[in-house]
């Protein structure tokens, strides 16, 4: 029955929270990878009431690092679910799995909003790899240079500079 619903949703990705939960169950299962791939594609395109909220809540509850959580982070990136920023950032900070870290960085590059930048700034003073630091800096720059008032977007960064020291200050001042 679940595979039949998967096939129906593939033809018309209009669904409910229950459909989202069904599709997420395919992401972290022992089902053939074709089902996982199909479920990921449907989730990325699905429309319907509560879809984004259910995806966001599922990420918050999902244990990792597992392939299913990585795929769900990719869905969040594809859907640009900005409300998932805190969960994605938490996963980025906590995981040592490189695939999950890369997926989280990819999502952060899409879902970070101007009011989220202040939550990325402390990472710059941490023990990030050069590659991760550069990507976080790029995310911050992208958000700050987005359309709108540059002064309003830069103010949190300037405020953070005055409260930082050492490597974090040098990184922010580049």
């Amino acid at each position: 029955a679940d595979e039949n619903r998967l096939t129906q949703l593939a033809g018309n990705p209009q669904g409910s929270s229950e459909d989202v939960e069904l599709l997420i169950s395919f992401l972290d299962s022992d089902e053939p990878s074709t089902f996982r791939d199909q479920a990921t594609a449907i989730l990325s395109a699905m429309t319907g009431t509560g879809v984004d909220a259910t995806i966001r809540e599922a990420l918050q509850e999902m244990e990792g690092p597992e392939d299913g959580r990585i795929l769900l982070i990719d869905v969040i990136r594809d859907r640009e679910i900005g409300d998932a920023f805190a969960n994605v950032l938490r996963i980025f900070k906590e995981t040592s799995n490189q695939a999950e870290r890369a997926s989280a960085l990819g999502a952060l590059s899409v879902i970070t909003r101007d009011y989220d930048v202040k939550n990325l700034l402390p990472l710059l003073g941490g023990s990030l790899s050069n590659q991760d630091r550069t990507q976080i800096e790029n995310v911050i720059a992208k958000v700050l240079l987005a359309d709108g008032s540059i002064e309003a977007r830069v103010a949190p960064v300037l405020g953070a500079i005055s409260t930082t020291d050492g490597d974090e200050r040098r990184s922010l001042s580049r």
Side-chain angles (χ1 to χ4, degrees):
D2 291 346
E3 287 86 5
N4 289 339
R5 184 63 182 145
L6 183 70
T7 303
Q8 289 173 345
L9 289 168
N12 179 18
Q14 170 73 32
S16 64
S17 295
E18 291 80 23
D19 290 323
V20 171
E21 291 169 5
L22 170 68
L23 293 168
I24 289 172
S25 73
F26 281 102
L27 299 184
D28 208 18
S29 70
D30 294 330
E31 297 287 340
S33 64
T34 54
F35 287 134
R36 283 194 305 273
D37 294 345
Q38 192 173 20
T40 302
I42 295 167
L43 280 168
S44 292
M46 182 173 269
T47 59
T49 304
V51 171
D52 285 353
T54 305
I55 291 170
R56 185 188 67 245
E57 290 164 11
L59 179 66
Q60 185 171 349
E61 297 168 6
M62 192 176 270
E63 297 292 322
E66 298 293 334
D67 289 344
R69 190 160 87 165
I70 293 169
L71 292 171
L72 195 57
I73 293 168
D74 291 344
V75 167
I76 286 168
R77 179 202 63 222
D78 293 346
R79 295 182 67 84
E80 300 182 15
I81 303 175
D83 291 344
F85 174 85
N87 289 326
V88 175
L89 181 60
R90 176 188 53 81
I91 290 167
F92 174 76
K93 289 178 177 180
E94 293 175 356
T95 190
S96 60
N97 179 292
Q98 290 305 311
E100 189 169 50
R101 225 172 148 75
S103 180
L105 267 173
L108 288 171
S109 73
V110 173
I111 66 172
T112 301
R113 306 295 186 249
D114 56 349
Y115 50 84
D116 295 321
V117 168
K118 67 183 180 300
N119 296 310
L120 294 177
L121 296 174
L123 294 175
L124 297 176
S127 59
L128 293 176
S129 69
N130 286 338
Q131 180 180 1
D132 286 352
R133 179 180 312 282
T134 299
Q135 288 183 308
I136 292 293
E137 288 171 349
N138 288 341
V139 170
I140 293 169
K142 176 182 154 197
V143 172
L144 295 177
L145 296 173
D147 292 335
S149 169
I150 191 70
E151 293 81 15
R153 295 177 189 279
V154 174
V157 175
L158 295 177
I161 288 175
S162 67
T163 61
T164 62
D165 58 6
D167 290 340
E168 186 176 18
R169 180 180 289 244
R170 281 190 292 279
S171 179
L172 291 172
S173 299
R174 282 187 210 183

Short mmCIF file of all heavy atoms in Angstrom, two decimals, residues 120-128 133 164-169 171-172:
data_model
loop_
_atom_site.label_atom_id
_atom_site.label_comp_id
_atom_site.label_asym_id
_atom_site.label_seq_id
_atom_site.Cartn_x
_atom_site.Cartn_y
_atom_site.Cartn_z
N LEU A 120 25.63 32.54 12.87
CA LEU A 120 26.77 31.94 12.16
C LEU A 120 28.09 32.54 12.61
O LEU A 120 29.14 31.89 12.53
CB LEU A 120 26.62 32.15 10.64
CG LEU A 120 25.48 31.43 9.96
CD1 LEU A 120 25.44 31.80 8.48
CD2 LEU A 120 25.59 29.93 10.13
N LEU A 121 28.06 33.77 13.09
CA LEU A 121 29.29 34.48 13.44
C LEU A 121 30.16 33.73 14.46
O LEU A 121 31.38 33.66 14.28
CB LEU A 121 28.98 35.89 13.93
CG LEU A 121 28.34 36.81 12.88
CD1 LEU A 121 27.95 38.13 13.51
CD2 LEU A 121 29.26 37.01 11.69
N PRO A 122 29.60 33.14 15.51
CA PRO A 122 30.46 32.43 16.47
C PRO A 122 31.23 31.26 15.85
O PRO A 122 32.30 30.90 16.34
CB PRO A 122 29.48 31.94 17.54
CG PRO A 122 28.32 32.87 17.45
CD PRO A 122 28.22 33.23 15.99
N LEU A 123 30.72 30.69 14.77
CA LEU A 123 31.42 29.59 14.12
C LEU A 123 32.78 30.02 13.58
O LEU A 123 33.72 29.23 13.53
CB LEU A 123 30.60 29.03 12.95
CG LEU A 123 29.28 28.35 13.29
CD1 LEU A 123 28.55 27.98 12.00
CD2 LEU A 123 29.52 27.13 14.16
N LEU A 124 32.88 31.28 13.19
CA LEU A 124 34.11 31.78 12.59
C LEU A 124 35.27 31.80 13.58
O LEU A 124 36.43 31.74 13.18
CB LEU A 124 33.89 33.17 11.98
CG LEU A 124 32.87 33.22 10.85
CD1 LEU A 124 32.66 34.65 10.40
CD2 LEU A 124 33.29 32.33 9.69
N GLY A 125 34.95 31.87 14.85
CA GLY A 125 36.00 31.86 15.87
C GLY A 125 36.28 30.47 16.38
O GLY A 125 37.16 30.27 17.22
N GLY A 126 35.56 29.48 15.88
CA GLY A 126 35.72 28.11 16.34
C GLY A 126 36.78 27.36 15.58
O GLY A 126 37.63 27.93 14.91
N SER A 127 36.72 26.08 15.69
CA SER A 127 37.74 25.21 15.08
C SER A 127 37.25 24.62 13.76
O SER A 127 37.32 23.41 13.55
CB SER A 127 38.12 24.10 16.06
OG SER A 127 36.96 23.35 16.38
N LEU A 128 36.80 25.46 12.87
CA LEU A 128 36.36 25.01 11.55
C LEU A 128 37.57 24.73 10.66
O LEU A 128 38.61 25.37 10.80
CB LEU A 128 35.52 26.08 10.86
CG LEU A 128 34.16 26.42 11.44
CD1 LEU A 128 33.54 27.57 10.65
CD2 LEU A 128 33.25 25.22 11.42
N ARG A 133 35.18 27.14 7.01
CA ARG A 133 35.22 28.57 7.35
C ARG A 133 34.92 29.41 6.10
O ARG A 133 34.12 30.34 6.15
CB ARG A 133 36.59 28.95 7.92
CG ARG A 133 36.69 30.45 8.27
CD ARG A 133 38.06 30.82 8.83
NE ARG A 133 38.51 29.93 9.88
CZ ARG A 133 38.10 29.95 11.15
NH1 ARG A 133 37.22 30.85 11.52
NH2 ARG A 133 38.56 29.11 12.03
N THR A 164 34.20 40.60 19.85
CA THR A 164 35.02 39.43 19.55
C THR A 164 36.49 39.78 19.65
O THR A 164 36.87 40.94 19.71
CB THR A 164 34.73 38.91 18.13
OG1 THR A 164 35.07 39.92 17.20
CG2 THR A 164 33.28 38.50 17.97
N ASP A 165 37.30 38.75 19.61
CA ASP A 165 38.73 38.98 19.60
C ASP A 165 39.41 37.85 18.83
O ASP A 165 38.78 36.90 18.41
CB ASP A 165 39.30 39.08 21.02
CG ASP A 165 39.02 37.84 21.86
OD1 ASP A 165 38.50 36.85 21.33
OD2 ASP A 165 39.33 37.88 23.05
N GLY A 166 40.69 37.96 18.64
CA GLY A 166 41.49 36.91 18.03
C GLY A 166 41.05 36.53 16.63
O GLY A 166 40.74 37.37 15.80
N ASP A 167 41.02 35.19 16.40
CA ASP A 167 40.71 34.65 15.08
C ASP A 167 39.34 35.07 14.58
O ASP A 167 39.16 35.34 13.39
CB ASP A 167 40.79 33.12 15.10
CG ASP A 167 42.21 32.60 15.24
OD1 ASP A 167 43.14 33.38 14.95
OD2 ASP A 167 42.37 31.44 15.64
N GLU A 168 38.36 35.12 15.48
CA GLU A 168 37.01 35.49 15.06
C GLU A 168 37.00 36.91 14.51
O GLU A 168 36.44 37.19 13.46
CB GLU A 168 36.04 35.37 16.22
CG GLU A 168 34.60 35.60 15.82
CD GLU A 168 33.62 35.37 16.97
OE1 GLU A 168 34.05 35.36 18.13
OE2 GLU A 168 32.44 35.23 16.67
N ARG A 169 37.67 37.84 15.18
CA ARG A 169 37.72 39.23 14.72
C ARG A 169 38.42 39.31 13.37
O ARG A 169 37.96 40.00 12.46
CB ARG A 169 38.43 40.13 15.73
CG ARG A 169 38.49 41.58 15.27
CD ARG A 169 39.19 42.45 16.28
NE ARG A 169 38.34 42.58 17.45
CZ ARG A 169 37.82 43.73 17.84
NH1 ARG A 169 38.08 44.84 17.20
NH2 ARG A 169 37.06 43.80 18.90
N SER A 171 38.65 37.03 11.10
CA SER A 171 37.79 36.44 10.08
C SER A 171 36.68 37.40 9.68
O SER A 171 36.37 37.56 8.50
CB SER A 171 37.18 35.14 10.61
OG SER A 171 36.34 34.59 9.65
N LEU A 172 36.09 38.09 10.64
CA LEU A 172 35.00 39.03 10.34
C LEU A 172 35.50 40.27 9.60
O LEU A 172 34.77 40.91 8.88
CB LEU A 172 34.31 39.46 11.64
CG LEU A 172 33.50 38.39 12.35
CD1 LEU A 172 33.05 38.91 13.71
CD2 LEU A 172 32.31 37.97 11.52
#
